[in-house]
Amino acid sequence: MGNVTFLLAINASIGIAFAAMFVGLSMKYDLPMGRWCAAGFICAAFFVALEAIVPASFAPLKLSLITFAGLLAALGLISVGVQRRYQPAAQIWPVAILFFILVLSHILFIAYSVRDSLIHAFGYQLPYFALGAVGALCIFRSNRRRPADWFLFAVLLVMALQFVAKAVLARRLNTGADFGSYIVSQYAHYSQSIGAVLAILLGLSLLMVMAEDVMKQVRDSLQRDHLSGLWNRGAFVERANHILEKHEAGAVVVLCDLDHFKVINDTFGHDVGDEVISAFSRSLKDGGGELCGRIGGEEFAVLFANGSVAELRQFVDRVGFLFSNVEFGIASLKPTASFGIAFATENDRLEDLLKRADAALYDAKRAGRNTFRFAPAPDLEGQVAKIANGDEL
């Protein structure tokens, strides 16, 4: 086995190893990036192996076209995987269209040009540069700025630029008249050696980013209340304080409490009580709650970065409507909830908001439950009075 053939086998093995790791992570955790990158590394491994095992006598032009398109597809899949993480709202079809344009251009204008000519050298390598740059650009345009993100950006950028360097190198060194002479050329030795190093760096940088995502999922799962699926009290307070730092005078806290919940548990059993908690949690999220947490047994909190009296009234109405339409399979079970709403004023802390919302909640309970009350606030008295009277704002 020649040196370059050995390097091709090594590169294929690297691709398979990283693909296996990406598949394992994607099966256990929800990592769209991992699935796309696994497909990319598998694709790269297959076409690199094809170069290593196909005899030199096999239709050199066909082999060149097949491996060009296959390795370009591998890079495209990895770029889409990066896009799925850093710009999840972006469409995939522009990358697919770019891929087909590059392949078609290669077939029409590059494949039949003189090998090692300026047109062939740059025409062969620049499509790889283009698709590699897509991934780097996605990271650069995102708002993620952690060390792992910058490392992946740097690796993708270097990988894209090395394709330009390969074009220059192909002009200086003889790449061979065909595939048979290519695999014994000095250019192939340099190209495959650099490719192996960059493949390892790319795989490691992708794993670093995925490891951060996995750790975030684990942290989030530990901070979730398993019955309701909402944030637990500690996680809610942490995130609410962070929001209040940015929206000090516009935030709103809504405290919610299930009415007569102890009676529900005593009458129908704790299993039914758990169903009621789960149903109310879904109603909060489906009703438009921004940051929702279960902060006690049957007590919940919702924080909005901002909102008007009318918008909060609409939110309470939506939650009440959704909750009242849940079927529990027990005709006599019609659970309700009470709400206390407090608007943040300047220099308010979360504890202050929660206290005022709690006082408003108890006012709602004293008023007969299954209703809401606003905590007193000088700037809102007129709006609250209109809401109370059923007037339009």
Side-chain angles (χ1 to χ4, degrees):
M1 181 182 291
N3 287 340
V4 174
T5 305
F6 177 74
L7 286 172
L8 287 169
I10 291 295
N11 284 343
S13 301
I14 291 170
I16 293 171
F18 278 114
M21 286 186 277
F22 297 153
V23 168
L25 285 172
S26 299
M27 288 178 64
K28 187 171 179 61
Y29 301 95
D30 183 20
L31 297 174
M33 179 184 185
R35 292 190 288 272
W36 284 97
C37 291
F41 271 78
I42 291 172
C43 186
F46 174 79
F47 286 100
V48 167
L50 187 67
E51 285 186 327
I53 64 176
V54 172
S57 59
F58 174 83
L61 184 57
K62 288 183 179 178
L63 179 62
S64 176
L65 288 172
I66 291 170
T67 55
F68 170 82
L71 293 173
L72 191 65
L75 192 55
L77 289 168
I78 293 170
S79 293
V80 169
V82 172
Q83 182 192 62
R84 290 295 82 199
R85 181 185 189 268
Y86 289 93
Q87 293 184 313
Q91 298 293 320
I92 296 173
W93 61 264
V95 180
I97 290 176
L98 176 61
F99 166 76
F100 286 112
I101 290 174
L102 292 173
V103 171
L104 185 61
S105 299
H106 179 81
I107 294 172
L108 294 177
F109 306 110
I110 308 301
Y112 298 95
S113 61
V114 178
R115 194 175 178 92
D116 292 338
S117 65
L118 185 67
I119 292 177
H120 186 276
F122 282 92
Y124 191 92
Q125 299 295 343
L126 288 182
Y128 293 110
F129 166 80
L131 281 183
V134 167
L137 184 62
C138 286
I139 299 175
F140 184 76
R141 294 177 61 183
S142 75
N143 57 3
R144 295 174 185 265
R145 294 292 184 269
R146 294 187 177 184
D149 304 315
W150 282 118
F151 182 48
L152 178 57
F153 168 76
V155 171
L156 286 170
L157 184 61
V158 170
M159 177 167 279
L161 292 174
Q162 64 100 19
F163 290 115
V164 179
K166 279 185 177 182
V168 176
L169 191 62
R171 294 281 294 150
R172 291 181 176 274
L173 301 176
N174 186 2
T175 65
D178 53 29
F179 181 73
S181 54
Y182 162 76
I183 63 173
V184 295
S185 67
Q186 189 179 17
Y187 169 83
H189 180 82
Y190 289 148
S191 176
Q192 295 303 321
S193 297
I194 294 170
V197 172
L198 288 175
I200 292 172
L201 286 175
L202 179 60
L204 289 175
S205 60
L206 288 168
L207 279 176
M208 287 173 59
V209 170
M210 290 181 209
E212 283 194 348
D213 291 344
V214 167
M215 287 189 288
K216 183 180 184 302
Q217 286 188 29
V218 171
R219 285 195 303 269
D220 285 355
S221 68
L222 293 174
Q223 293 180 320
R224 292 282 183 182
D225 173 66
H226 294 296
L227 178 58
S228 66
L230 305 181
W231 298 113
N232 60 31
R233 186 183 186 95
F236 175 83
V237 168
E238 177 186 344
R239 285 162 175 76
N241 278 321
H242 181 69
I243 293 174
L244 280 175
E245 289 176 3
K246 296 181 178 181
H247 305 274
E248 180 180 315
V252 188
V253 164
V254 182
L255 277 187
C256 325
D257 192 84
L258 295 173
D259 298 328
H260 303 297
F261 186 69
K262 185 176 184 304
V263 175
I264 293 173
N265 274 335
D266 292 344
T267 305
F268 303 105
H270 288 275
D271 288 345
V272 174
D274 289 349
E275 287 184 38
V276 172
I277 286 175
S278 181
F280 186 70
S281 303
R282 290 194 303 273
S283 299
L284 286 178
K285 290 185 288 188
D286 295 343
E290 289 184 11
L291 178 68
C292 305
R294 184 185 177 199
I295 60 174
E298 68 271 20
E299 192 170 24
F300 302 81
V302 181
L303 180 76
F304 292 90
N306 51 66
S308 67
V309 170
E311 289 169 342
L312 269 295
R313 167 65 189 268
Q314 291 168 5
F315 167 71
V316 170
D317 286 344
R318 282 196 303 270
V319 173
F321 174 78
L322 291 169
F323 191 44
S324 66
N325 281 279
V326 176
E327 296 289 342
F328 296 100
I330 302 173
S332 59
L333 179 58
K334 299 293 182 184
T336 59
S338 300
F339 303 83
I341 306 167
F343 287 79
T345 56
E346 192 173 352
N347 298 322
D348 260 341
R349 298 174 303 168
L350 181 62
E351 305 91 84
D352 303 323
L353 269 175
L354 290 172
K355 285 180 182 177
R356 295 211 310 274
D358 191 51
L361 174 62
Y362 276 97
D363 285 344
K365 286 188 172 292
R366 283 193 292 268
R369 294 182 169 84
N370 191 25
T371 188
F372 65 92
R373 288 292 183 270
F374 288 92
D379 294 342
L380 301 170
E381 286 180 357
Q383 297 183 54
V384 172
K386 288 183 179 181
I387 287 288
N389 294 328
D391 296 334
E392 293 292 335
L393 286 175

